[in-house]
Amino acid sequence: MIRSRHFVRAAALAAVVLFSAACTAAEVPADPTAVTDAAWPTPAGVGGPDTSAGVNTDTSCDPLASIRPTAGTSVPPGSHLAEIKARGKLIAGVDQTTYLFGFRNPQSGNLEGFDIDVVNQIARALFGTAEGHVQFRAIPSSQREQVLKDHKVDVVVRTYSITCSRRKEVQFSSVYYVAGQKILVPKTSNAQSLADLAGKRVCAARKSTSLTKVATDPAKPIAVSVPNWSDCLVMLQQNQVEAVSTDDTILAGMAAQDPQVKVVGDQLTKENYGVGVPLDEQDVVQFVNAVLDQMRADGSWAASYDKWVGRRLGPASPPEAQYR
């Protein structure tokens, strides 16, 4: 009886195996429907041309002449600087997406770059050390004026080009870096200028002078605006734009991250970076200018440049300060 039950069980298992094999042999999987309309998703906030930044054609001021600094980096009682010092933290609007100038180190989680060094130098002069005395606020380029006007930050150090139109809304330090707008394209591209990109999509950040230059160029490239420069690199990698156009400093960082792209052409514009300060805080401008003068003189500007930029853009000297 036991032998009979084993025999029945074995026979049943054999039948299942034969049935499965028969089904496998008979059933041929169908080919999936071909996908013909797949596309990469675009970054959030992608838009068209925005010329609100204005190209450097406003000649109503001397944009590079800042307020002459006071002797040394003392803090006058009752000043805005005194309020910042009493608070114990310098609040700085910066970028966290632009490699070499303001980016978050993926290993340490810290913000690093040339602009971050400038912020730390200001904090060091104010508090004796930057450690524990800086509150970084990552902001898109389109918000630089607004956060200063709303007094949400004390300074903006974010590849911030000085123009007369911007000077009507905020104050600027003396020039601490001189860049130039160029073009980034895939290494397979033959484009060397905006003239070669007529009718082609060219990406730049919203409310930047670079976007205005693209949108108003006689060759009529198609300006594509994004909140952050890193979005432009993503769109270029996904073939959603044919080029990126902005300052050579920012493009150098993109090229360092992606070996399949290259920076091409002559400089389209000259971009003078300054530290942005609220319009009513002259004492802060004077203090920042004193710090920048010190950086030019003691070699800290050169050390930061060599660390972040020199290997990619060649040797340079700190720009000479101009004061009104």
Side-chain angles (χ1 to χ4, degrees), residues 28 30 45 73 94 252 257 301 311 319:
V28 179
T73 53
V94 298
Q257 296 175 83
W301 186 98
R311 184 164 60 87

Side-chain angles (χ1 to χ4, degrees), residues 180-187 189-194 196-197 243-246 248 251 255 261-268:
Q181 184 176 350
K182 286 193 172 184
I183 297 168
L184 184 82
V185 294
K187 282 190 173 178
S189 174
N190 294 321
Q192 292 290 320
S193 67
L194 288 178
D196 299 326
L197 293 164
V244 178
S245 186
T246 186
D248 51 7
L251 298 182
V261 299
K262 60 184 179 180
V263 182
V264 299
D266 299 326
Q267 287 190 349
L268 306 174

Side-chain angles (χ1 to χ4, degrees), residues 143-216:
Q143 292 297 311
R144 290 176 295 195
E145 283 89 38
Q146 197 60 51
V147 295
L148 289 169
K149 290 164 69 175
D150 293 342
H151 291 86
K152 291 182 178 179
V153 299
D154 301 313
V155 293
V156 167
V157 189
R158 196 192 186 286
T159 58
Y160 201 1
S161 297
I162 306 170
T163 67
C164 287
S165 60
R166 286 173 173 167
R167 274 197 177 279
K168 295 172 182 176
E169 300 186 83
V170 302
Q171 295 222 46
F172 282 100
S173 71
S174 60
V175 178
Y176 70 86
Y177 192 93
V178 180
Q181 184 176 350
K182 286 193 172 184
I183 297 168
L184 184 82
V185 294
K187 282 190 173 178
T188 54
S189 174
N190 294 321
Q192 292 290 320
S193 67
L194 288 178
D196 299 326
L197 293 164
K200 304 294 185 182
R201 295 161 297 178
V202 180
C203 187
R206 185 169 297 117
K207 288 193 176 181
S208 67
T209 54
S210 301
L211 181 66
T212 305
K213 173 63 178 173
V214 173
T216 58

Side-chain angles (χ1 to χ4, degrees), residues 72 78 126 132 149 162 168 179 181 184 238 243 273 281 287 322:
L126 187 58
K149 290 164 69 175
I162 306 170
K168 295 172 182 176
Q181 184 176 350
L184 184 82
Q238 295 177 172
Y273 295 167
E281 298 187 5
F287 185 87
Q322 299 179 42

Side-chain angles (χ1 to χ4, degrees), residues 41 43 229-241:
W229 289 112
S230 55
D231 298 326
C232 280
L233 180 58
V234 171
M235 293 188 75
L236 184 67
Q237 292 167 333
Q238 295 177 172
N239 297 316
Q240 293 169 325
V241 296

Side-chain angles (χ1 to χ4, degrees):
M1 189 64 152
I2 294 174
R3 182 179 302 173
S4 175
R5 283 201 300 270
H6 282 306
F7 176 79
V8 170
R9 187 179 297 140
L13 289 171
V16 169
V17 171
L18 289 172
F19 180 77
S20 300
C23 288
T24 302
E27 294 178 1
V28 179
D31 290 333
T33 304
V35 177
T36 58
D37 59 350
W40 290 101
T42 57
V46 174
D50 173 2
T51 59
S52 59
V55 186
N56 300 340
T57 54
D58 185 345
T59 58
S60 61
C61 74
D62 180 357
L64 308 187
S66 186
I67 303 170
R68 187 172 297 278
T70 53
T73 53
S74 59
V75 179
S79 64
H80 292 98
L81 274 173
E83 294 176 10
I84 296 170
K85 191 163 186 176
R87 183 203 302 147
K89 287 188 182 293
L90 176 72
I91 305 174
V94 298
D95 194 0
Q96 64 174 359
T97 64
T98 299
Y99 185 52
L100 305 181
F101 268 73
F103 69 100
R104 194 169 293 281
N105 186 315
Q107 295 181 326
S108 67
N110 295 328
L111 286 168
E112 298 180 358
F114 190 92
D115 279 350
I116 305 303
D117 286 353
V118 172
V119 173
N120 286 331
Q121 288 284 359
I122 297 169
R124 194 171 292 117
L126 187 58
F127 300 105
T129 177
E131 188 173 355
H133 291 289
V134 180
Q135 180 180 338
F136 291 109
R137 290 192 177 175
I139 57 171
S141 60
S142 60
Q143 292 297 311
R144 290 176 295 195
E145 283 89 38
Q146 197 60 51
V147 295
L148 289 169
K149 290 164 69 175
D150 293 342
H151 291 86
K152 291 182 178 179
V153 299
D154 301 313
V155 293
V156 167
V157 189
R158 196 192 186 286
T159 58
Y160 201 1
S161 297
I162 306 170
T163 67
C164 287
S165 60
R166 286 173 173 167
R167 274 197 177 279
K168 295 172 182 176
E169 300 186 83
V170 302
Q171 295 222 46
F172 282 100
S173 71
S174 60
V175 178
Y176 70 86
Y177 192 93
V178 180
Q181 184 176 350
K182 286 193 172 184
I183 297 168
L184 184 82
V185 294
K187 282 190 173 178
T188 54
S189 174
N190 294 321
Q192 292 290 320
S193 67
L194 288 178
D196 299 326
L197 293 164
K200 304 294 185 182
R201 295 161 297 178
V202 180
C203 187
R206 185 169 297 117
K207 288 193 176 181
S208 67
T209 54
S210 301
L211 181 66
T212 305
K213 173 63 178 173
V214 173
T216 58
D217 191 82
K220 298 189 181 304
I222 300 171
V224 177
S225 63
V226 293
N228 293 297
W229 289 112
S230 55
D231 298 326
C232 280
L233 180 58
V234 171
M235 293 188 75
L236 184 67
Q237 292 167 333
Q238 295 177 172
N239 297 316
Q240 293 169 325
V241 296
E242 281 72 35
V244 178
S245 186
T246 186
D247 306 346
D248 51 7
T249 49
I250 299 172
L251 298 182
M254 294 182 184
Q257 296 175 83
D258 186 347
Q260 302 305 313
V261 299
K262 60 184 179 180
V263 182
V264 299
D266 299 326
Q267 287 190 349
L268 306 174
T269 63
K270 191 174 183 180
E271 305 297 331
N272 299 282
Y273 295 167
V275 177
V277 177
L279 198 58
D280 59 343
E281 298 187 5
Q282 177 173 321
D283 62 305
V284 178
V285 180
Q286 291 176 300
F287 185 87
V288 170
N289 281 340
V291 173
L292 294 176
D293 277 352
Q294 189 174 41
M295 288 182 67
R296 296 181 184 100
D298 66 11
S300 54
W301 186 98
S304 182
Y305 179 87
D306 291 343
K307 179 179 180 179
W308 298 113
V309 190
R311 184 164 60 87
R312 294 171 176 86
L313 294 179
S317 299
E320 185 176 347
Q322 299 179 42
Y323 299 119
R324 54 180 184 259

